[in-house]
Amino acid sequence: MVQEGFLTLRKHDCFFQDLVRIKGKDFVTPVSRILIGNPGCTYKYLNTRLFTVPWPTEGYDIKYCSPQVHDACKALIRLNDYLHIEAVKALQGQNLFETKEIKDSTVIDREQNFAATFMDKGSVSKDQSSCVSEDDYISLKNRTSYNLTLLNYMDPLQMLYLKQEPYFGMGNMAVSWHHDENLVERSTVAVYSYSCEGSAVEESNEQKLKGRDPAVWHVGLKVAWDIETPGLAIPLHQGDFYLMLDDLNMTHQHCVLAGFSPRFSSTHRVADCSRGTLEYIFGQCELALQNLQADSESMALSLKSLETAVVKQVEEIHNEVEFEWLRQFWFQGKRYLKCTDWWLKPMAKLEEFWRKMEVMTSLVLSEVGKEEQIEEQRNETLSCFLLVLTERQKLRQEWIASALSESLIHMICINRLLPYTSLYFIKASARCLE
């Protein structure tokens, strides 16, 4: 079902190369990706925020572009549940092995006990108090409850160029050495691999090979920031999955070494969503808009407070909404419509919040320019205000430059949020300070 799901998503053109930023420069990833997971979740890597295509979730009305896409997402959440069970079993087995507190036979019994419970309930059960402490229960749950999966696809033979692994002579890399970003600390990463078998692999098997087989995909592992200790290349055979347990993602780096055949992978993660969900950003907007009020008769808008701390908080939320959400979403164009239109309503709501915050920005400038304002307080507010606006203008110019230089987005998407206000506000603020 999962393999069919991969092919379905590929058939519907749901995989996209990402524009990412590394050391201040923009790059297009050789691997094409799509993020699937809990509704309203996002995942950020290399300054690019991806938005989940929501998998079927009780309580959410998710309309997919086709029944086949629905089935693909459903297969992936079933895989997610399975890998959660396997990760808990592996962690529990690892803990028992390391402490050496009980015999191997007991380890097997407890793993089987866990597996049976998870199959029944789909999660870690508190009823297993005889096998696991409360702290261990919470830890296992937090470190294995995958909230999304990042799907990858690449056909190496269609790539004009692939970077060579630079330290150990491992050959072509699909993904360079890295740590996975923005994960819950010490959480497990689970990766399922599916290579589309072809003649290229069969031809390679007839050759006499030294070192790693270049036709077979591998995952590379090395000690973080260490090129003296030899690295390890582990072959990925059809249908394999592997787990990066505990602190492995922190103490080691990994890469993906390309084979000859096209390959899909599903990388299940416990993403740190403390600042990456719709619930969070809507809460931030509501906090900011508490400083906006409307006259009961004229309905004219005004600010409740001009305190520096309040103004600073509102304008920082303003920046967060624009650069961490709206621009990130629209920069990626209409890619998500290939699967579902689920994100359009919440993004329209966010855009409306953003417009109100644009009004609030103009109201700050209008109020501090009035003569009755105390000069010292006014200058303090303006100084803080100017810093946030300068940052906003800088970020807007960077976004425009990235979009235009790569030609990866339609101008209509950029025009939704062109910087038509902040430069005026910066100049006006500077005049007030003078």
Side-chain angles (χ1 to χ4, degrees):
M1 290 172 59
V2 171
Q3 294 171 5
E4 289 178 2
F6 286 150
L7 297 174
T8 294
L9 294 172
R10 173 69 177 157
K11 180 180 178 181
H12 283 78
D13 297 322
C14 296
F15 288 86
F16 292 86
Q17 292 173 279
D18 293 322
L19 182 68
V20 297
R21 174 157 290 195
I22 305 173
K23 296 181 180 179
K25 295 183 179 180
D26 292 332
F27 296 90
V28 177
T29 59
V31 175
S32 299
R33 296 184 166 100
I34 180 175
L35 188 70
I36 298 177
N38 291 350
C41 269
T42 67
Y43 179 67
K44 191 174 182 183
Y45 80 105
L46 298 177
N47 295 300
T48 295
R49 184 179 299 278
L50 301 180
F51 298 75
T52 55
V53 171
W55 45 34
T57 306
E58 186 177 353
Y60 289 86
D61 182 20
I62 303 165
K63 298 177 181 177
Y64 297 94
C65 67
S66 74
Q68 292 78 22
V69 171
H70 168 272
D71 292 344
C73 293
K74 184 177 180 180
L76 286 161
I77 195 172
R78 291 186 64 182
L79 174 63
N80 195 69
D81 293 341
Y82 171 78
L83 292 175
H84 163 65
I85 294 168
E86 292 297 316
V88 174
K89 288 164 60 179
L91 279 174
Q92 188 67 12
Q94 180 192 53
N95 291 341
L96 293 175
F97 175 78
E98 289 175 351
T99 57
K100 297 182 179 179
E101 291 178 346
I102 56 177
K103 296 180 181 180
D104 291 344
S105 60
T106 309
V107 175
I108 296 172
D109 291 341
R110 287 176 65 171
E111 287 181 352
Q112 291 174 344
N113 194 11
F114 269 111
T117 302
F118 300 148
M119 285 298 185
D120 290 340
K121 300 186 178 180
S123 181
V124 183
S125 172
K126 286 186 177 180
D127 293 337
Q128 297 292 329
S129 57
S130 61
C131 297
V132 61
S133 69
E134 183 71 14
D135 288 344
D136 287 342
Y137 156 74
I138 294 172
S139 177
L140 285 172
K141 184 176 177 63
N142 289 343
R143 294 159 61 197
T144 60
S145 294
Y146 305 121
N147 46 18
L148 50 82
T149 178
L150 184 61
L151 271 58
N152 305 287
Y153 172 79
M154 196 180 81
D155 183 352
L157 299 184
Q158 298 300 315
M159 303 302 297
L160 296 177
Y161 169 77
L162 285 175
K163 184 178 178 181
Q164 292 291 300
E165 195 283 313
Y167 308 124
F168 311 109
M170 292 179 174
N172 291 335
M173 292 194 301
V175 183
S176 299
W177 292 108
H178 68 288
H179 301 277
D180 286 340
E181 298 181 76
N182 293 319
L183 304 180
V184 169
E185 187 176 0
R186 302 175 78 93
S187 61
T188 295
V189 178
V191 181
Y192 172 77
S193 181
Y194 170 57
S195 301
C196 304
E197 299 293 353
S199 59
V201 175
E202 294 171 3
E203 291 173 4
S204 176
N205 287 339
E206 297 175 359
Q207 303 173 2
K208 293 183 179 179
L209 299 168
K210 294 182 179 180
R212 95 164 177 94
D213 185 345
V216 177
W217 285 78
H218 288 65
V219 57
L221 287 171
K222 76 177 188 70
V223 178
W225 314 115
D226 178 356
I227 60 174
E228 299 298 329
T229 305
L232 183 66
I234 305 168
L236 298 173
H237 299 296
Q238 186 70 288
D240 280 351
F241 80 86
Y242 61 90
L243 303 170
M244 292 192 289
L245 298 173
D246 199 46
D247 63 352
L248 183 69
N249 185 55
M250 297 186 289
T251 60
H252 290 67
Q253 292 169 294
H254 60 281
C255 70
V256 181
L257 304 166
F260 290 165
S261 59
R263 172 186 178 258
F264 295 92
S265 67
S266 183
T267 63
H268 298 250
R269 305 154 190 254
V270 188
D272 180 2
C273 289
S274 57
R275 298 172 64 91
T277 63
L278 279 176
E279 181 181 9
Y280 162 78
I281 197 61
F282 282 157
Q284 290 292 93
C285 291
E286 291 168 3
L287 178 63
L289 293 176
Q290 287 177 5
N291 198 41
L292 184 65
Q293 61 186 355
D295 185 89
S296 58
E297 296 182 359
S298 66
M299 299 305 294
L301 296 174
S302 62
L303 300 175
K304 294 180 182 178
S305 172
L306 283 174
E307 292 183 13
T308 302
V310 175
V311 171
K312 181 174 183 290
Q313 181 184 55
V314 170
E315 295 303 327
E316 287 177 345
I317 293 173
H318 186 165
N319 281 1
E320 184 177 17
V321 170
E322 179 171 336
F323 301 111
E324 290 296 328
W325 289 83
L326 291 177
R327 285 189 181 274
Q328 290 275 3
F329 183 82
W330 288 111
F331 183 80
Q332 297 168 39
K334 298 180 179 179
R335 64 162 64 179
Y336 300 102
L337 294 180
K338 295 282 187 178
C339 297
T340 178
D341 62 358
W342 189 87
W343 278 96
L344 293 184
K345 286 185 178 180
M347 296 314 292
K349 184 177 178 181
L350 265 186
E351 193 167 328
E352 184 58 34
F353 286 148
W354 172 83
R355 294 185 189 282
K356 290 181 179 179
M357 284 183 269
E358 284 281 287
V359 172
M360 295 175 77
T361 299
S362 64
L363 288 173
V364 171
L365 188 59
S366 175
E367 289 297 319
V368 297
K370 294 179 179 178
E371 293 183 0
E372 59 266 26
Q373 290 293 324
I374 300 173
E375 184 175 354
E376 183 178 350
Q377 180 182 355
R378 178 177 62 183
N379 288 346
E380 182 183 355
T381 300
L382 279 171
S383 295
C384 170
F385 189 54
L386 183 58
L387 287 174
V388 181
L389 287 182
T390 302
E391 177 69 10
R392 185 176 305 162
Q393 179 66 8
K394 174 187 172 184
L395 290 171
R396 283 177 170 175
Q397 294 297 343
E398 287 179 0
W399 274 98
I400 298 298
S402 293
L404 294 178
S405 65
E406 297 297 334
S407 301
L408 291 178
I409 190 168
H410 296 296
M411 287 305 298
I412 187 171
C413 295
I414 290 294
N415 288 338
R416 296 176 71 93
L417 294 170
L418 277 174
Y420 61 87
T421 54
S422 61
L423 190 58
Y424 163 76
F425 290 143
I426 290 170
K427 291 178 178 178
S429 299
R431 285 197 299 271
C432 288
L433 283 171
E434 290 171 359

